[in-house]
Amino acid sequence: MAAGKDASLRIATFNVNGIRSRLPHLLQWLEKEAPDIACLQELKAADAGFPIEAIRDAGYGALWMGQPSWNGVAILARGGDPIESRRGLPGMRDDTQSRYLEAAAHGVIVGCLYLPNGNPRPGPKFDYKLQWFDRFIEHAQTLFDSKHPVVLAGDYNVVPTDALDIYDPTHWRKDALLQPETRERYEALLAQGWTDALRTLHPEEKIFTFWDYFRNHWPRNAGLRIDHLLLSDDLAPRLKAAGVDRWVRDLKGASDHAPTWVEIGAKKAAKKVAKRKA
DNA sequence: ATGTCGTGCCCCGCACGA
């Protein structure tokens, strides 16, 4: 249910890369970090394969949108069930890929997304990435204009800058994650007014959320920042902390992503009008 | 082209996507 009136809110996103094989890590992380809301991506499981019992036993309610083998997203809420507000993006009726789920929980609306990777480029996969991104940008505008407290959390498959969001762009020049078309769209999103939480709190720090399995990238800390949490106008002033749970990436048999989170301060109580004595 | 994972199919190795 709702966090205590004065409690802050921790919201996280975690690309698990297979919910069934990663369940022990997920549970370990939930127990240790206890996020109030967790967005998961790359479930790689059909709806029936989602481990709802274990997640309930850990104290979380959940919504999920599965798909056999690929994609799949879920929203977890500590102590209660998230209230679904959207399943899939508007304008993408024929989309067969499970990449967007939205719900209300703990007083915020959370959009959980798994933006297409887009490789190889050029090609139909890159075209699909841009098309999906455009639909997402449209929907994000609607959410932003609603003035509701909204967090858009997920694996964006965008490395926003060469300078701070990747260990070394040299070998990634042709990758879909660094293309101008990809980055322009991320910028367009920010131009709507959204706050990139991690970058805002740590403006000059190299931050990574993903280290691929190839070439010994994790031990070398050769990472990329592609998991992002964007905050609406209403939530941005309440941003207190943000970070990456790197210890999860260091576990044996880890996902290639680490959980990434924000902490939102308590909503200020509406100013009480002094009661006039009769 | 390569690296290493998780998944599913079809049978115990492969193709695929990332």
Side-chain angles (χ1 to χ4, degrees):
Chain A
M1 290 301 136
K5 251 183 210 163
D6 304 322
S8 58
L9 208 55
R10 189 171 285 236
I11 304 167
T13 179
F14 182 20
N15 180 321
V16 293
N17 190 12
I19 183 90
R20 287 164 294 170
S21 65
R22 214 72 64 200
L23 185 59
H25 288 188
L26 174 65
L27 297 175
Q28 199 179 334
W29 172 67
L30 290 176
E31 177 165 11
K32 182 163 187 211
E33 306 292 348
D36 297 288
I37 299 170
C39 296
L40 308 181
Q41 301 87 30
E42 281 208 83
L43 304 179
K44 292 187 172 180
D47 281 337
F50 188 81
I52 184 59
E53 294 300 332
I55 285 168
R56 282 218 181 97
D57 288 347
Y60 286 81
L63 288 171
W64 62 97
M65 183 186 192
Q67 181 185 330
S69 299
W70 319 118
N71 312 312
V73 287
I75 299 173
L76 277 49
R78 195 154 65 94
D81 287 316
I83 311 298
E84 182 172 324
S85 55
R86 179 163 282 285
R87 184 170 288 256
L89 283 176
M92 297 223 56
R93 280 225 167 178
D94 300 332
D95 194 5
T96 55
Q97 305 189 21
S98 297
R99 295 183 175 276
Y100 188 78
L101 190 58
E102 188 183 289
H106 296 288
V108 302
I109 293 171
V110 53
C112 173
L113 64 138
Y114 177 45
L115 209 134
N117 172 296
N119 282 307
R121 176 208 63 93
K125 295 202 173 154
F126 190 64
D127 296 342
Y128 173 68
K129 177 181 194 148
L130 299 184
Q131 185 203 358
W132 201 98
F133 215 151
D134 287 338
R135 295 290 85 73
F136 178 65
I137 288 168
E138 285 175 23
H139 183 55
Q141 185 72 64
T142 304
L143 286 172
F144 195 85
D145 293 345
S146 78
K147 307 286 185 192
H148 286 116
V150 183
V151 179
L152 298 175
D155 179 353
Y156 283 69
N157 273 311
V158 180
V159 172
T161 68
D162 282 351
L164 295 172
D165 302 309
I166 186 167
Y167 66 103
D168 177 358
T170 309
H171 302 293
W172 295 80
R173 277 282 165 245
K174 294 178 179 172
D175 196 281
L177 279 57
L178 278 72
Q179 294 315 303
E181 297 94 326
T182 304
R183 288 174 162 173
E184 279 164 16
R185 282 166 173 79
Y186 190 70
E187 285 302 316
L189 212 45
L190 297 182
Q192 291 177 350
W194 299 93
T195 295
D196 177 338
L198 271 85
R199 187 48 73 216
T200 299
L201 279 188
H202 308 288
E204 287 167 30
E205 190 182 324
K206 281 203 175 183
I207 305 170
F208 306 141
T209 66
F210 163 85
W211 299 258
D212 78 20
Y213 291 125
F214 311 154
R215 308 179 209 94
N216 219 25
H217 274 178
W218 168 246
R220 291 167 46 214
N221 192 30
L224 286 66
R225 188 174 77 99
I226 57 176
D227 299 277
H228 308 300
L229 295 113
L230 302 191
L231 308 183
S232 65
D233 244 4
D234 179 278
L235 292 180
R238 293 164 56 191
L239 175 62
K240 294 289 183 258
V244 181
D245 292 329
R246 294 173 59 106
W247 67 268
V248 179
R249 183 63 181 83
D250 201 43
L251 295 171
K252 192 172 168 61
S255 165
D256 39 7
H257 296 250
T260 305
W261 54 267
V262 297
E263 192 180 320
I264 305 290
K267 191 183 175 83
K268 280 206 177 132
K271 241 188 190 172
K272 276 196 178 162
V273 179
K275 267 193 182 168
R276 264 178 227 155
K277 278 214 165 172

